[in-house]
Amino acid sequence: MSQPTRTDYLALRAKAIESLMIEKGLVTEEAVDAVVEYEQEIGPMRGAKGVARAWVDDDYRKLLLEDPMTALDELGAGGFASQKVVAVENTETVHNMVVCTLCSCYPWSILGVPPTWYKSPEYRGRVVRDPRGVLRDFGVALDEDVEVRVWDSSSEVRYMVIPRRPEGTESMSEAELAELVTRDSMIGTGLVEGPAA
Amino acid sequence: VSGTSPRVNGAHDLGGAPDLGPVPVEPLGPVDNARWEDVVFTLMLGGAMSGVFGVEQHRTAMEGIHPALYMACSYFERWLVGVETCLIRAGVTTAAEIEALVDEVAADPDRELPPGRAPELTEAIRSILADGFQGEGWPERKPRFGVGEEVRAKVIRIEPGRGHTRSPGYVHGHLGVIEEVYPPQPLGEAIVAGESVNEFVYRVDFRAADLWPEADPRDRVKTDLFESYIEPPGAAARTGKEER
């Protein structure tokens, strides 16, 4: 028998607690399937649609900034961990980044399952103190005169970033633009790139 | 008063910790949790929806993990430790019972799970995913502080793993300006203490250079703080010292 890995062990331990909780009537196996289904249903495309619409429709952009829950309603805000979402906008002179230093709060229903790096001690610990260094880890360099604002989600409020629209996208449709918007750009660790030449 | 002391209230209080390496960046693309990770996630939701323990108790339990172990554990590993601790604290099981059960499963890893007994929980968990946790009605009160007001973040000390706070250590003792008043939310430490308290939440704007001398003078950190975490600037002398 080959040596079990740490992950094998954790899976086994999780199964032990799962059977205990099922037996006590505290969870069901079907609920795990419901979670898996939900995770496949959500994704950064929901938030990306809001960003693309804000780029092409200035009234929508204002609504997204002033009343984000109404603006994001049809995209799925209000779901798990997204009861109160606030959208913050990048400009020529301001770059926003989102973190939860104490745990890993994240607007699941509009950005999908959080990536592992978002939950890492390195990101959580460093981004409030050295945001530009963290951006370098992601290969992002900001212009000299940009102010960085880091938003720490320590309450039930969740933040999302409206990234800047890249140049050379003037003729693109809303749907095409949405395809360009990445998860990382809505957390603030990435910029949106224009279409490859 | 410089309250910038990461980890003072537990290993999870990481904001500004000076000894961290590069972020383990992953490529873009869908995030695919392993099945056991989804199981652990569901166990926490099961605890919350069955009323045995809540998100706040779960967080508190994880915050008590020894700092060395905390850093060595993956995210869902910490969650699993948190679920186990909550089950033990709630009297649902014991540590010995858990270890015996783990041995049983290890001896027969493919064994079937017991039959479900609470089908209504599946639906409850489905609805929490679709709609989020629904807060109770908020009391008709006025916020103590207003937008534009300068406030100081109180120095708050808790016993890691027993006490709980959502005020990150890096703001403690520092002055900031209120930028937004959010409607009241349930206060985590009250829930952990078996009470129900809702407090206004304030988004407080801090100059990064006030928090860390080496920070870029232009940069800002915006932290959401419950009403009991902040005080008028002049109150600092009273609270800065005697908290321990």
Side-chain angles (χ1 to χ4, degrees):
Chain A
M1 224 170 79
S2 65
Q3 180 73 13
T5 64
R6 186 179 178 117
T7 305
D8 294 338
Y9 171 74
L10 290 170
L12 212 147
R13 199 164 176 101
K15 185 172 180 178
I17 307 296
E18 184 185 11
S19 19
L20 183 143
M21 286 184 68
I22 292 175
E23 215 150 72
K24 307 262 184 190
L26 306 180
V27 80
T28 62
E29 201 178 350
E30 293 73 25
V32 182
D33 297 324
V35 164
V36 173
E37 260 170 54
Y38 178 72
E39 289 179 349
Q40 284 163 353
E41 198 182 294
I42 57 177
M45 207 53 204
R46 290 178 164 198
K49 284 179 180 162
V51 169
R53 193 168 306 164
W55 284 346
V56 299
D57 177 349
D58 204 51
D59 287 337
Y60 183 81
R61 179 183 146 270
K62 285 178 190 144
L63 184 69
L64 186 55
L65 289 169
E66 278 157 29
D67 184 7
M69 295 310 286
T70 303
L72 294 168
D73 185 44
E74 59 189 87
L75 301 171
F80 185 70
S82 310
Q83 286 93 311
K84 169 80 182 153
V85 177
V86 168
V88 296
E89 190 181 30
N90 287 349
T91 66
E92 248 175 79
T93 53
V94 174
H95 182 83
N96 295 284
M97 301 178 79
V98 178
V99 66
C100 166
T101 60
L102 292 176
C103 42
S104 296
C105 298
Y106 190 78
W108 282 59
S109 78
I110 48 167
L111 294 189
V113 181
T116 301
W117 64 256
Y118 182 83
K119 303 180 279 190
S120 71
E122 290 83 5
Y123 182 72
R124 288 163 46 196
R126 280 182 55 217
V127 72
V128 280
R129 184 167 185 165
D130 181 21
R132 293 156 205 272
V134 166
L135 284 171
R136 277 194 294 278
D137 291 350
F138 284 84
V140 173
L142 298 177
D143 287 342
E144 274 303 307
D145 52 351
V146 174
E147 166 189 338
V148 178
R149 295 179 184 166
V150 180
W151 306 72
D152 188 356
S153 333
S154 43
S155 78
E156 296 304 316
V157 180
R158 301 287 174 269
Y159 295 93
M160 73 168 279
V161 176
I162 308 175
R164 293 182 68 202
R165 180 175 178 167
E167 283 172 25
T169 58
E170 293 72 16
S171 60
M172 291 177 79
S173 70
E174 188 181 320
E176 288 168 332
L177 288 168
E179 296 281 343
L180 297 179
V181 181
T182 60
R183 172 193 72 212
D184 289 5
S185 73
M186 291 181 284
I187 306 174
T189 55
L191 306 177
V192 180
E193 306 288 341
Chain B
V1 180
S2 176
T4 311
S5 37
R7 297 199 180 93
V8 72
N9 285 336
H12 67 289
D13 190 2
L14 283 162
D19 52 348
L20 301 167
V23 178
V25 175
E26 310 143 61
L28 289 164
V31 179
D32 200 7
N33 285 346
R35 175 82 186 183
W36 76 269
E37 296 177 322
D38 288 328
V39 167
V40 172
F41 181 61
T42 313
L43 299 182
M44 197 283 289
L45 293 177
M49 297 318 288
S50 61
V52 170
F53 59 87
V55 176
E56 293 77 12
Q57 283 86 354
H58 186 241
R59 281 182 183 156
T60 303
M62 290 191 289
E63 290 164 7
I65 297 175
H66 189 278
L69 188 59
Y70 189 96
M71 296 300 286
C73 283
S74 70
Y75 181 75
F76 283 107
E77 194 170 351
R78 295 197 294 266
W79 270 51
L80 181 57
V81 173
V83 168
E84 291 180 19
T85 306
C86 285
L87 290 172
I88 294 167
R89 286 182 178 174
V92 170
T93 186
T94 62
E97 212 170 80
I98 289 176
E99 296 313 323
L101 194 55
V102 171
D103 288 345
E104 275 176 42
V105 177
D108 180 13
D110 296 324
R111 76 172 196 175
E112 290 201 9
L113 289 163
R117 301 174 132 203
E120 72 282 2
L121 270 181
T122 310
E123 279 323 299
I125 288 172
R126 259 186 224 287
S127 76
I128 208 77
L129 291 168
D131 306 325
F133 287 96
Q134 297 302 317
E136 290 163 30
W138 285 326
E140 290 290 318
R141 302 190 271 117
K142 283 237 155 67
R144 181 177 173 204
F145 303 100
V147 170
E149 219 173 308
E150 188 177 50
V151 291
R152 190 182 297 275
K154 291 184 194 170
V155 176
I156 295 171
R157 293 290 177 266
I158 54 150
E159 184 195 347
R162 292 289 170 180
H164 183 64
T165 180
R166 294 294 292 172
S167 176
Y170 67 84
V171 297
H172 293 175
H174 289 285
L175 293 171
V177 174
I178 292 175
E179 211 178 49
E180 183 83 46
V181 182
Y182 293 121
Q185 300 177 20
L187 184 69
E189 49 269 50
I191 296 170
V192 170
E195 295 157 11
S196 169
V197 176
N198 289 327
E199 280 188 12
F200 283 94
V201 172
Y202 301 85
R203 189 171 79 227
V204 182
D205 177 54
F206 295 93
R207 289 179 60 239
D210 283 345
L211 304 175
W212 298 289
E214 79 276 16
D216 191 302
R218 288 165 300 185
D219 292 354
R220 302 281 173 170
V221 176
K222 292 152 192 299
T223 308
D224 292 340
L225 296 171
F226 285 81
E227 195 162 86
S228 56
Y229 299 168
I230 56 179
E231 61 193 355
R238 280 206 308 275
T239 45
K241 292 175 191 167
E242 294 152 290
E243 292 281 330
R244 248 182 205 280

